[in-house]
Amino acid sequence: MKNRSIALDGPAGAGKSTIAKEIAKLKNLIYIDTGAMYRAVTLKILNAGISLENTDAINDILCDIGIDLDENDIYLDKKCVTNEIRTPEINNTVSQVAKIAQVREKMVQLQRQIADNKDVIMDGRDIGTFVLINANYKFYLTASIKERAHRRFLELSEKGFDMTLDQVEKDIAARDKNDSEREISPLRKAEDAIEIDSTNKPIQEVIKEILSYLK
Ligand code: DC
């Protein structure tokens, strides 16, 4: 029997991961954070000190990269990097890495492999439009840039990063632009996705709304 799949796409800070984790628990699905996968590749490239233009070196990195996910954590070459991938440095570099064709090819291959074997809810930017084009359900989650920046600012402050709200908003705007204007699989709503605007909506309300669509 074919596995069940839910695609949840949208821009940074729209609340995708919190919502996807909760739906995963309630519906007995495996949660796959595809943004975390692009972040792990970024960490590996930064640690290796490789230029993003160095195609050969990036190919070498992708050849033997180990990315594993469990319920709460992500592992890069068997090392837990859950916290390391959420720094401002990674935030500012990841959308450049996510533009690279070979990186996307490798990540999509891994993501499809996972979805072939498990019932998943996968969050990202191109899940409904490309990775899982035949997902059983597709949702596109948005929120105003002000609200998204505010959420990210609180997250970063809680982790002890010293940034202004204005800076976080600028970073998010730059990332939105990179993610939606890139050539390969840009961020956009799939035609058959259900759009939900989470501005001023409590998370529980958005979860309830999504659950109301699931049979
Ligand atoms: O969801 P996030 O903020 O952790 O994603 C990090 C970056 O990865 C973001 O700039 C867009 C990119 N990304 C992507 O291009 N495709 C995906 N399926 C998921 C994330």
Side-chain angles (χ1 to χ4, degrees):
M1 199 177 76
K2 195 191 158 295
N3 293 297
R4 292 180 294 154
S5 58
I6 300 177
L8 181 60
D9 290 303
K16 299 186 299 293
S17 64
T18 314
I19 288 165
K21 272 184 202 161
E22 193 60 27
I23 305 264
K25 251 192 250 156
L26 294 169
K27 291 285 168 185
N28 208 12
L29 302 165
I30 304 287
Y31 166 54
I32 304 295
D33 177 353
T34 63
M37 297 170 77
Y38 288 94
R39 287 169 180 271
V41 180
T42 306
L43 179 64
K44 183 147 183 170
I45 291 174
L46 288 177
N47 284 349
I50 288 163
S51 142
L52 300 186
E53 276 79 51
N54 190 340
T55 317
D56 288 344
I58 288 182
N59 275 338
D60 286 346
I61 283 216
L62 291 170
C63 247
D64 65 350
I65 196 167
I67 295 183
D68 298 288
L69 298 124
D70 65 21
E71 209 179 322
N72 297 306
D73 292 301
I74 176 153
Y75 302 84
L76 172 62
D77 300 328
K78 309 270 179 235
K79 183 186 164 223
C80 178
V81 292
T82 310
N83 295 323
E84 253 180 282
I85 59 166
R86 306 268 165 208
T87 62
E89 192 190 12
I90 302 275
N91 286 350
N92 293 336
T93 319
V94 62
S95 60
Q96 300 296 331
V97 172
K99 274 186 193 172
I100 303 172
Q102 314 101 277
V103 171
R104 298 206 72 80
E105 209 175 294
K106 176 80 182 193
M107 291 307 104
V108 171
Q109 186 196 343
L110 288 174
Q111 290 153 14
R112 286 181 177 156
Q113 235 168 44
I114 299 170
D116 271 349
N117 293 301
K118 292 178 173 135
D119 293 335
V120 295
I121 176 162
M122 212 173 250
D123 87 15
R125 304 293 190 285
D126 60 341
I127 310 304
T129 53
F130 187 64
V131 180
L132 304 178
I133 201 99
N134 294 318
N136 300 106
Y137 298 95
K138 297 180 185 180
F139 296 95
Y140 189 80
L141 196 62
T142 59
S144 71
I145 178 132
K146 288 260 176 263
E147 172 129 354
R148 292 188 286 119
H150 188 245
R151 290 175 189 165
R152 272 293 141 92
F153 171 74
L154 293 179
E155 261 172 45
L156 288 165
S157 301
E158 263 170 34
K159 286 182 190 157
F161 292 111
D162 182 22
M163 293 179 78
T164 64
L165 177 59
D166 193 46
Q167 189 54 52
V168 175
E169 186 175 328
K170 282 197 181 115
D171 292 348
I172 286 209
R175 212 131 67 82
D176 282 357
K177 187 168 155 58
N178 271 326
D179 293 342
S180 53
E181 291 183 0
R182 69 168 175 242
E183 227 167 282
I184 316 164
S185 302
L187 167 68
R188 62 178 174 79
K189 177 187 162 299
E191 272 176 23
D192 51 350
I194 297 160
E195 183 164 352
I196 298 176
D197 187 339
S198 73
T199 314
N200 300 324
K201 252 188 214 171
I203 290 286
Q204 284 310 323
E205 202 176 305
V206 180
I207 292 171
K208 236 167 113 182
E209 197 171 333
I210 292 182
L211 288 174
S212 74
Y213 288 103
L214 308 181
K215 290 194 196 96

